[in-house]
Amino acid sequence: RADMLDDVDSNVVASYVVDMMKSGLANTTVARRMAALRGFFRYLVASGYRELDPTRGVEIPRADHRLPAVLGIEEVERLLSGVDPADPLASRNRAILELLYGSGIRVSELVGLDRDSIHPTRREIRCIGKGNKERIVPLGTIAVSAMAHYVDEARPKLLRDRRENALFLNHHGGRLTRQGVWRIVARCARDAGIDERVTPHVLRHSFATHLLENGADLRAVQELLGHADIATTQIYTHLTGTHLRNVYTDSHPRA
């Protein structure tokens, strides 16, 4: 009933938050529910049904801050070496894995690559990121080699229509989708005996973390990832901080 809303004040809302916390709900869930409640009361105020918003001033717990999953270097090596490019699809899969880990590009950027997006002689790719921003990302020799094998040997066998300009093709000869890449990465991880859930984003996280662990500059990693704000990149400093603590514990005589 609409008249029952008149009884809702900030104390009622605060009690609701406390009850949710006591029931064991995750901070993320509480924050999501409160965001919906705030939106509802803002609508009532804007529509003239209420004079005051009872959710204003009520503290909401911060959403749970989950660090991104990262593969160890040995796991990455196992994943990449576990794909034998003996047939066109396997060659494509190896090139995809090497590119995701070797450049840190997003899966949406990967499937958007065209045939002319890669410059093997300059060892770089040109991709379009968020906000339709173009950036140039360097590639290592191993990734370039995997890409060259796919482009020269495998892609022509997958191609059905010579007018198709997509770099990565599915088994029908069309542009590979984001969902298709997710399935490829997950299947390759299972085949490599990796128990963790591996996604294209996990390879992107691993790329950034391994760079920072080996001394890369945070600003450089920001540029490579295509982050507009360095605060987004700084999440990886938490991961490398864990790495540094482990190194300290293992190496210092008084740790």
Side-chain angles (χ1 to χ4, degrees), residues 75 77-84 87 89-90 93 97 183-196 198:
E75 290 178 310
E77 292 289 348
R78 196 160 81 242
L79 172 65
L80 299 178
S81 62
V83 183
D84 181 13
D87 63 71
L89 291 178
N93 296 349
L97 293 173
R183 287 192 293 267
I184 288 168
V185 173
R187 183 171 64 250
C188 290
R190 288 196 304 269
D191 293 343
I194 299 175
D195 297 329
E196 293 88 350
V198 182

Side-chain angles (χ1 to χ4, degrees), residues 76-254:
V76 172
E77 292 289 348
R78 196 160 81 242
L79 172 65
L80 299 178
S81 62
V83 183
D84 181 13
D87 63 71
L89 291 178
S91 175
R92 178 203 63 188
N93 296 349
R94 177 65 178 269
I96 287 173
L97 293 173
E98 291 285 0
L99 186 55
L100 287 172
Y101 176 68
S103 67
I105 64 174
R106 303 176 178 92
V107 63
S108 58
E109 295 168 344
L110 182 138
V111 298
L113 294 174
D114 290 327
R115 175 66 181 82
D116 59 356
S117 299
I118 182 171
H119 304 283
T121 55
R122 297 204 298 265
R123 298 199 310 179
E124 62 187 26
I125 58 170
R126 174 178 51 83
C127 64
I128 307 299
K130 290 185 176 180
N132 206 33
K133 293 182 178 178
E134 178 183 296
R135 74 181 188 281
I136 304 297
V137 181
L139 294 178
T141 54
I142 298 177
V144 169
S145 176
M147 292 293 295
H149 184 276
Y150 164 69
V151 170
D152 296 339
E153 304 293 333
R155 188 178 181 276
K157 297 176 182 177
L158 297 174
L159 190 63
R160 299 290 184 269
D161 185 348
R162 293 190 178 277
R163 294 173 297 179
E164 178 58 70
N165 197 35
L167 177 59
F168 288 108
L169 306 177
N170 57 33
H171 63 283
H172 295 299
R175 187 180 294 272
L176 195 64
T177 65
R178 294 173 70 256
Q179 293 78 9
V181 176
W182 275 65
R183 287 192 293 267
I184 288 168
V185 173
R187 183 171 64 250
C188 290
R190 288 196 304 269
D191 293 343
I194 299 175
D195 297 329
E196 293 88 350
R197 181 172 178 264
V198 182
T199 68
H201 220 55
V202 169
L203 293 178
R204 177 172 162 88
H205 293 324
S206 302
F207 162 83
T209 302
H210 294 165
L211 279 175
L212 289 170
E213 285 180 350
N214 286 282
D217 178 75
L218 188 64
R219 287 284 183 184
V221 175
Q222 177 193 2
E223 291 294 326
L224 289 170
L225 293 174
H227 287 161
D229 188 347
I230 197 170
T232 308
T233 317
Q234 284 177 328
I235 187 173
Y236 298 106
T237 61
H238 297 292
L239 296 171
T240 55
T242 300
H243 169 75
L244 291 175
R245 283 193 295 274
N246 291 338
V247 170
Y248 175 82
T249 301
D250 293 340
S251 306
H252 197 280
R254 294 193 180 276

Side-chain angles (χ1 to χ4, degrees), residues 9-25:
D9 57 17
S10 59
N11 291 328
V12 173
V13 175
S15 297
Y16 174 56
V17 173
V18 171
D19 289 342
M20 285 193 290
M21 297 297 295
K22 286 182 177 179
S23 68
L25 289 177

Side-chain angles (χ1 to χ4, degrees), residues 30-101:
V30 176
R32 186 170 59 248
R33 290 185 178 183
M34 285 303 299
L37 194 62
R38 277 182 167 171
F40 174 63
F41 277 107
R42 284 173 183 169
Y43 164 76
L44 293 180
V45 172
S47 301
Y49 293 106
R50 284 186 62 102
E51 292 185 6
L52 300 176
D53 177 2
T55 66
R56 292 192 63 180
V58 177
E59 289 192 16
I60 300 175
R62 292 186 176 183
D64 298 327
H65 184 67
R66 297 181 181 179
L67 294 177
V70 175
L71 294 179
I73 294 178
E74 291 183 359
E75 290 178 310
V76 172
E77 292 289 348
R78 196 160 81 242
L79 172 65
L80 299 178
S81 62
V83 183
D84 181 13
D87 63 71
L89 291 178
S91 175
R92 178 203 63 188
N93 296 349
R94 177 65 178 269
I96 287 173
L97 293 173
E98 291 285 0
L99 186 55
L100 287 172
Y101 176 68

